[in-house]
Amino acid sequence: MPKAILTLNAGSSSIKFSLYELGSGVQRLISHGQIEGIGEAPRFLARAPDGAVLESYAWPHHAASHEEFLQRLLAWVTSHLGDEALVAVGHRVVHGGALFHRPVRIDQDVLGALEKLVPLAPLHQPHNLAAIKALSRLRPGLLQVACFDTAFHRDMPAVAERLPLPRLYTDAGMRRYGFHGISYEYLAGRLRVLAPTLAKGRVIMAHLGNGASLCAMWDGQSIDTTMSFTALDGLMMGTRCGSIDAGVVLYLQEAYGLDAAAVGHMLYHDCGLLGVSGVSNDMRALLESEDPRAREAIDLFVYRIVKEIGALTSALGGLDALVFSAGIGEHAASIRSEICDALTWLGVECDEVANDRHETLISSTRSAVRVLVVATDEEAMIAEHTAQLMRDISPPPTVNPSFA
Ligand code: ADP
């Protein structure tokens, strides 16, 4: 019977999952899906790799717990693959802090360390950990692996990591960590396959989804990135503000009497595309909207990306390739086109036909910088790490030389 790995990306309103057949090389996707509408009308949906619906279930009540959701998922895995098939679960964990540089097997000590990082990633970390805890209650012996969004950036140069704060704070671990690392690691691997020479050069990857960031890579290594101590920094996002004058935070407290929690809630949930447009945090909705504030929000989104690309190009000392990825990067041709137009000074020239067709290479033959669209797949990366960790902790039995 085939063995399987489950990957989980547990968020506030959904738990996304993928199921892979454990193999010796690349893991084969068996199914993917999600539990969506958590807190409102929760629904379980499992699909085959081609998108066909394999199972759908709606909970009769809105307040089902993480444990109930995951119980349903495990029951479905068992009914689909048999009792013994599931051998490990790989989790996306947003923050690994200074401690975790690579994927790790989860035990009580690891869980304790990850709990301490909740205040640094309040939008994601509590949900990531809730899924881990629920699973360890449901399947106490099951191997669980944490893969971190911060880990890919752990070898950034010291100067890119340092925050200009007094040593008291930086010595205590306040530094620029960076996020979206699972996606960037996957994209770096894809670029090595698609364009090996470019992958060795100076590349900016743009992960533009609800959360958005840029990563400057040299030879596939992160040398700087726009998110930093928390996932609030850098680009303007769906509901997050991105980089903002620290004085604004002080002023909101002093002039508006907001406490730290209220300011935090606003900066994470009410800013970005949603805050500026007053219409939506969703790029598709903004592109379709006739409200002039939607256009203002898009203009600001693009402007800040272009500005940060300029900064990261300086950090790299030039630019060989720009890679677009994630929901907006992969699907919003008009946003890619606006960004490329604003980078003409860098020698970027977009091939509009290729861009409208969402082809992999969207720069013209004259462009000094290659521009690519590459789909990210964080789940595949998590599955690969989980399989690798399984191999590391249980190496194949060695053959007794006398019988060889
Ligand atoms: P998350 O960070 O939640 O994983 P995604 O990577 O799925 O986000 O990206 C979500 C964003 O991508 C949304 O703003 C959505 O509107 C945008 N998006 C998805 N498809 C399209 C499209 N065809 N055109 C424009 N924007 C799109």
Side-chain angles (χ1 to χ4, degrees):
M1 181 199 300
K3 299 290 179 202
I5 291 176
L6 183 67
T7 67
L8 286 184
N9 181 353
S12 60
S13 62
S14 71
I15 301 173
K16 293 182 187 149
F17 68 87
S18 292
L19 191 61
Y20 293 86
E21 183 179 330
L22 179 64
S24 50
V26 175
Q27 314 311 308
R28 188 178 70 84
L29 182 66
I30 303 172
S31 167
H32 62 99
Q34 58 183 327
I35 295 149
E36 60 192 12
I38 294 178
E40 290 169 9
R43 184 164 162 241
F44 172 84
L45 193 66
R47 293 180 184 277
D50 66 5
V53 174
L54 296 174
E55 170 128 336
S56 165
Y57 172 82
W59 275 268
H61 46 106
H62 73 273
S65 65
H66 261 71
E67 217 154 296
E68 273 182 78
F69 295 138
L70 293 176
Q71 198 160 26
R72 180 94 211 174
L73 173 56
L74 290 177
W76 178 75
V77 173
T78 302
S79 71
H80 201 60
L81 298 178
D83 266 349
E84 309 284 318
L86 186 63
V87 288
V89 178
H91 295 265
R92 176 191 181 199
V93 177
V94 161
H95 215 308
L99 227 46
F100 300 108
H101 293 213
R102 57 184 62 87
V104 63
R105 179 184 197 153
I106 302 169
D107 58 20
Q108 276 311 317
D109 291 343
V110 169
L111 200 53
L114 296 179
E115 293 274 12
K116 293 201 179 110
L117 300 169
V118 165
L120 302 188
L123 224 51
H124 302 100
Q125 193 93 341
H127 308 293
N128 304 158
L129 302 189
I132 293 169
K133 286 185 272 187
L135 262 184
S136 53
R137 285 191 293 271
L138 291 165
R139 290 275 179 98
L142 186 62
L143 173 68
Q144 295 197 66
V145 175
C147 300
F148 302 101
D149 269 318
T150 45
F152 185 69
H153 306 290
R154 284 292 45 82
D155 293 324
M156 281 196 311
V159 71
E161 267 196 345
R162 189 172 289 285
L163 284 168
L165 294 172
R167 296 259 171 189
L168 166 68
Y169 302 106
T170 52
D171 289 350
M174 291 188 69
R175 64 169 85 154
R176 302 186 69 251
Y177 287 103
F179 297 87
H180 286 144
I182 299 169
S183 173
Y184 289 131
E185 186 181 0
Y186 177 84
L187 292 170
R190 287 292 296 142
L191 195 63
R192 272 195 293 275
V193 174
L194 293 167
T197 309
L198 272 188
K200 287 193 168 300
R202 300 158 300 179
V203 177
I204 293 179
M205 303 268 185
H207 178 110
L208 307 178
N210 258 320
S213 71
L214 304 175
C215 178
M217 288 186 203
W218 200 324
D219 195 8
Q221 305 290 312
S222 171
I223 68 130
D224 204 346
T225 186
T226 54
M227 283 179 171
S228 70
F229 179 57
T230 68
L232 200 52
D233 201 5
L235 304 181
M236 170 180 166
M237 302 174 223
T239 63
R240 284 171 258 170
C241 57
S243 304
I244 199 165
D245 176 359
V248 170
V249 177
L250 302 177
Y251 186 77
L252 285 167
Q253 299 185 45
E254 285 160 13
Y256 288 83
L258 300 181
D259 63 15
V263 175
H265 189 274
M266 187 190 91
L267 298 180
Y268 274 101
H269 297 281
D270 303 331
C271 294
L273 293 172
L274 175 65
V276 177
S277 70
V279 173
S280 175
N281 66 315
D282 190 284
M283 183 56 84
R284 254 174 311 197
L286 296 182
L287 289 168
E288 283 161 15
S289 171
E290 311 242 306
D291 191 321
R293 296 173 306 164
R295 187 65 245 176
E296 278 175 10
I298 295 171
D299 288 347
L300 187 53
F301 181 77
V302 169
Y303 176 73
R304 300 198 40 143
I305 290 169
V306 169
K307 210 163 101 166
E308 292 292 337
I309 288 175
L312 290 181
T313 299
S314 294
L316 285 166
L319 189 62
D320 301 309
L322 172 63
V323 177
F324 287 104
S325 193
I328 298 170
E330 290 167 33
H331 304 294
S334 66
I335 301 292
R336 290 195 301 255
S337 172
E338 286 179 43
I339 293 169
C340 289
D341 278 355
L343 293 171
T344 307
W345 64 274
L346 248 181
V348 173
E349 190 180 276
C350 185
D351 174 338
E352 293 300 342
V353 175
N355 184 40
D356 286 344
R357 289 192 193 139
H358 305 286
E359 286 177 10
T360 302
L361 183 67
I362 62 164
S363 49
S364 75
T365 48
R366 282 188 305 273
S367 185
V369 176
R370 295 277 168 274
V371 185
L372 295 95
V373 181
V374 182
T376 193
D377 191 343
E378 287 153 300
E379 284 69 30
M381 196 73 244
I382 295 169
E384 198 176 314
H385 278 308
T386 304
Q388 184 57 49
L389 200 130
M390 288 183 71
R391 288 192 281 273
D392 292 348
I393 56 181
S394 54
T398 48
V399 180
N400 184 330
S402 57
F403 295 105

